[in-house]
Amino acid sequence: MSDAAQPTAAEVRAAAEAVKAALDRHLAAVERRTGDDDTAVYEAFNALAAAAEEYDELLYDRYDEVTPFEIPGADGALPPYAGPDEPHALSLLIRRDYAVAEPQRLLAQARRVAELDGEEDTTGAAGKAGVSPLAALGVLFGEYEPDEIASRHKEFGLEEGDSTLWVTAAEELPEPGEWLNAPFEHADPERIICRFDVSSVFDEQDDEHEHEDDDEVAGDGPVAVGS
């Protein structure tokens, strides 16, 4: 970076003060929290992350130094909420991943559903559902709601992957059919009120922490923490 583009010492100092203020706001929000999904805590967390990232960047640009903090980046962190204070509409954005773990079970269940719907001809929908995984998935997801698929996924030969639910705020409902051609194209991270993520990686992290605690309690010596 050229000298002309470098931040001033005053700008770095101001960014440091902003981090201190964001820390105070975050602690105050945590102390006043009303539950696990308290919006004020969520907003204060995002504001603190943004302030810390800004300070980290200015510190590096000015002094070629870094902070010891792990700043959330684009790998899942959200920007501060910038949507309406009183939303008049909501959008739920849902993604659930599945692996076809037992293809034969999937085919059998789909064929059974097709036959119950009156398609007994082996050349019709039941026959295709019994031999084609693509047709089988179409039959099952056409018959059952996504929530029922989620609760019965093992029965259908599926294995759960990661899933996420985003609750986003809007001023008003879109016009009917307005976004159907590209339903996820205009998802605005700054309008996310809250999100709920499910991943096996969280369980693995919890297991690692439990093992570390067990080792410490057992007195087996210091625990080596990988980078």
Side-chain angles (χ1 to χ4, degrees):
M1 175 179 287
S2 67
D3 292 340
Q6 282 187 345
T8 65
E11 289 174 326
V12 179
R13 172 64 61 180
E17 294 299 325
V19 173
K20 297 175 187 177
L23 277 168
D24 289 337
R25 289 196 299 271
H26 181 259
L27 177 58
V30 170
E31 291 173 337
R32 296 193 303 267
R33 75 187 308 160
T34 58
D36 291 340
D37 300 324
D38 192 311
T39 303
V41 175
Y42 179 78
E43 293 174 354
F45 173 88
N46 284 333
L48 175 58
E53 183 174 14
E54 176 71 11
Y55 171 63
D56 190 77
E57 290 178 355
L58 293 177
L59 185 71
Y60 182 79
D61 290 343
R62 176 69 185 182
Y63 299 110
D64 199 26
E65 289 289 344
V66 296
T67 66
F69 311 124
E70 182 180 351
I71 308 300
D75 58 349
L78 296 174
Y81 177 74
D85 292 334
E86 297 184 9
H88 296 291
L90 299 174
S91 291
L92 304 185
L93 307 180
I94 302 174
R95 172 172 175 168
R96 293 180 177 136
D97 289 350
Y98 297 97
V100 179
E102 300 181 69
Q104 293 306 315
R105 178 182 291 272
L106 170 68
L107 297 174
Q109 290 285 17
R111 181 179 177 84
R112 182 183 63 81
V113 169
E115 290 175 346
L116 289 175
D117 288 341
E119 295 285 350
E120 298 183 3
D121 185 356
T122 57
T123 63
K128 292 179 181 178
V131 297
S132 167
L134 188 62
L137 289 169
V139 168
L140 290 177
F141 280 88
E143 178 72 15
Y144 300 106
E145 294 289 335
D147 287 343
E148 187 166 4
I149 294 285
S151 64
R152 301 173 58 185
H153 63 277
K154 292 183 179 179
E155 180 181 335
F156 301 137
L158 303 176
E159 180 180 312
E160 285 184 312
D162 289 354
S163 66
T164 188
L165 165 65
W166 293 12
V167 182
T168 63
E171 300 287 356
E172 59 185 16
L173 281 176
E175 292 295 325
E178 180 178 335
W179 49 257
L180 291 179
N181 289 332
F184 306 110
E185 182 177 357
H186 301 295
D188 185 352
E190 293 188 350
R191 286 180 172 260
I192 295 177
I193 299 173
C194 55
R195 61 180 289 179
F196 304 92
D197 300 324
V198 176
S199 174
S200 60
V201 71
F202 301 144
D203 297 333
E204 293 170 0
Q205 291 171 353
D206 290 341
D207 289 342
E208 289 176 0
H209 294 157
E210 288 177 1
H211 290 321
E212 291 173 5
D213 293 341
D214 290 343
D215 289 342
E216 291 174 356
V217 171
D220 291 336
V223 178
V225 180
S227 58

